[in-house]
Amino acid sequence: MSHRSMRRTLSILAAGALLCAPAALMTGCLGGNAAEKAGSAVSSMIAGDSVESKTAALAPYVDATNSYNDSVVTFAFSYDPSLARMRSGEQVDNISVPSFDRLLEGLEKARGNKATSGVFKDVDEAADGVIAVLKELAPLAQKMDDYYSAKTYMSDGYKGGTEMIAQYLPLYDKFEAAYEKLDEAVAVHHKELRMAQLEEMRKNGRPNAATFIDVTMKVRDLVDMLDKEPVDRAAAEAKIGEITNLVGQLPDTSDTKSYKRDVNTFIGTFRSYLAGQEKTNEVIDDFNDTVNTSNRVDLNELDGGKK
């Protein structure tokens, strides 16, 4: 995978369950600059609109990008080789491309949501940029899929396919650049919301809920280390120590027990990766398991009921 593809892979795997929301909120990779932006915005967020209302405003974008990113990760084994063959200029008789039409539908739905519009202006602008490219890319990708599915290349000597690939590649590169901006913008605000939620839990006397949120953020920090190769082993072990300490402070419920098991499995796989015994995708898959189990944890139960 390319560096950009790695970031895309990581982008769907953020710890979710913002404010006990039932849907997983999985967003982009947060490097240093993005994390700094998120940290600087927390105080103003708490002082302004409620975390809940801003979470609701971001959710439609999260839903749209989740669906696309999940597809990209799940079918990378098919998409990546197909793209490489198209770039090589070799004659192909089949292709595999992402679900651009579904992403376009999701982003247009988000932009049409009155509760979302204007809350995160940078996200709105980035989404508009992606939508503009997708209006050309999505129908072209569908046309290409139809062409190769019907094996039309057998009747036109690959002429139509060659022409469409020549149109597809520059559009795809333009899309990637636009989508990267959207992915990062959503990631920055997701980080803001997580940090603001953590502060709220601490102020409201909910130490267990605060600890759980802190764990999910640190687990995310650990997986984000994959974005910079080689991974700093000392920093990774230090982060693992922080995670292990916090996990030990969580109360035992059926859901937190499952979460703890998945976190320990993820840590083990991460260490195996550092030792050259596991591939990146295995680390990501195990991280994804922590995301799924974290979304089943009800924060309201961790401190003895709602407060």
Side-chain angles (χ1 to χ4, degrees):
M1 283 189 183
S2 67
H3 180 70
R4 178 176 290 171
S5 294
M6 171 64 73
R7 289 178 61 84
R8 186 64 40 76
T9 300
L10 296 177
S11 73
I12 77 158
L13 302 176
L18 272 170
L19 299 165
C20 307
L25 298 187
M26 300 180 284
T27 61
C29 179
L30 273 174
N33 290 337
E36 291 172 8
K37 292 177 185 177
S40 66
V42 173
S43 296
S44 61
M45 178 173 292
I46 293 176
D49 294 339
S50 70
V51 179
E52 291 89 344
S53 66
K54 289 199 171 184
T55 298
L58 188 64
Y61 287 117
V62 172
D63 290 342
T65 53
N66 272 357
S67 179
Y68 175 75
N69 288 340
D70 185 41
S71 174
V72 168
V73 173
T74 302
F75 298 105
F77 70 92
S78 179
Y79 295 155
D80 290 352
S82 179
L83 180 61
R85 288 194 298 271
M86 284 190 276
R87 289 196 189 282
S88 73
E90 68 179 86
Q91 204 169 66
V92 298
D93 55 16
N94 65 82
I95 62 164
S96 180
V97 296
S99 302
F100 297 117
D101 53 348
R102 189 178 304 168
L103 175 61
L104 176 59
E105 180 182 357
L107 290 179
E108 288 182 330
K109 181 178 179 181
R111 288 298 283 125
N113 188 327
K114 293 182 180 180
T116 295
S117 182
V119 178
F120 298 105
K121 293 182 179 179
D122 57 336
V123 176
D124 290 344
E125 292 174 1
D128 287 341
V130 176
I131 289 170
V133 181
L134 284 176
K135 286 184 176 180
E136 294 183 71
L137 183 60
L140 175 60
Q142 184 60 57
K143 186 178 178 181
M144 292 170 66
D145 185 63
D146 294 343
Y147 174 90
Y148 285 101
S149 295
K151 298 185 178 182
T152 307
Y153 54 84
M154 298 181 72
S155 65
D156 73 352
Y158 294 91
K159 182 177 182 295
T162 300
E163 291 175 351
M164 286 187 287
I165 289 174
Q167 298 174 52
Y168 177 85
L169 291 176
L171 275 176
Y172 178 81
D173 290 341
K174 188 176 180 181
F175 162 77
E176 278 282 281
Y179 190 82
E180 194 75 11
K181 292 180 181 179
L182 174 63
D183 205 35
E184 182 178 0
V186 174
V188 167
H189 294 301
H190 177 267
K191 184 74 171 182
E192 292 171 1
L193 291 165
R194 291 298 281 176
M195 294 172 70
Q197 185 190 22
L198 178 60
E199 291 302 313
E200 282 195 344
M201 293 299 176
R202 286 172 173 165
K203 289 181 178 180
N204 292 337
R206 300 179 61 184
N208 292 331
T211 297
F212 180 77
I213 295 168
D214 203 6
V215 171
T216 64
M217 293 176 69
K218 291 184 185 301
V219 171
R220 176 56 192 263
D221 289 342
L222 182 60
V223 81
D224 276 352
M225 289 185 182
L226 293 177
D227 199 41
K228 293 182 179 180
E229 292 287 355
V231 174
D232 185 329
R233 294 194 177 200
E237 283 297 336
K239 185 63 65 176
I240 288 172
E242 294 175 12
I243 294 168
T244 302
N245 178 58
L246 289 171
V247 165
Q249 299 175 34
L250 289 174
D252 282 335
T253 67
S254 59
D255 290 330
T256 59
K257 285 180 179 179
S258 295
Y259 180 68
K260 291 177 184 182
R261 282 194 298 270
D262 284 346
V263 168
N264 284 328
T265 298
F266 162 66
I267 288 173
T269 304
F270 196 97
R271 281 176 165 149
S272 293
Y273 169 79
L274 293 179
Q277 298 172 2
E278 291 285 3
K279 295 181 179 180
T280 305
N281 282 350
E282 295 301 321
V283 181
I284 293 168
D285 285 344
D286 284 348
F287 177 68
N288 196 36
D289 288 339
T290 73
V291 175
N292 291 332
T293 51
S294 75
N295 287 322
R296 293 197 293 269
V297 175
D298 185 348
L299 297 184
N300 292 320
E301 293 182 351
L302 298 184
D303 293 287
K306 293 185 176 181
K307 290 192 176 183

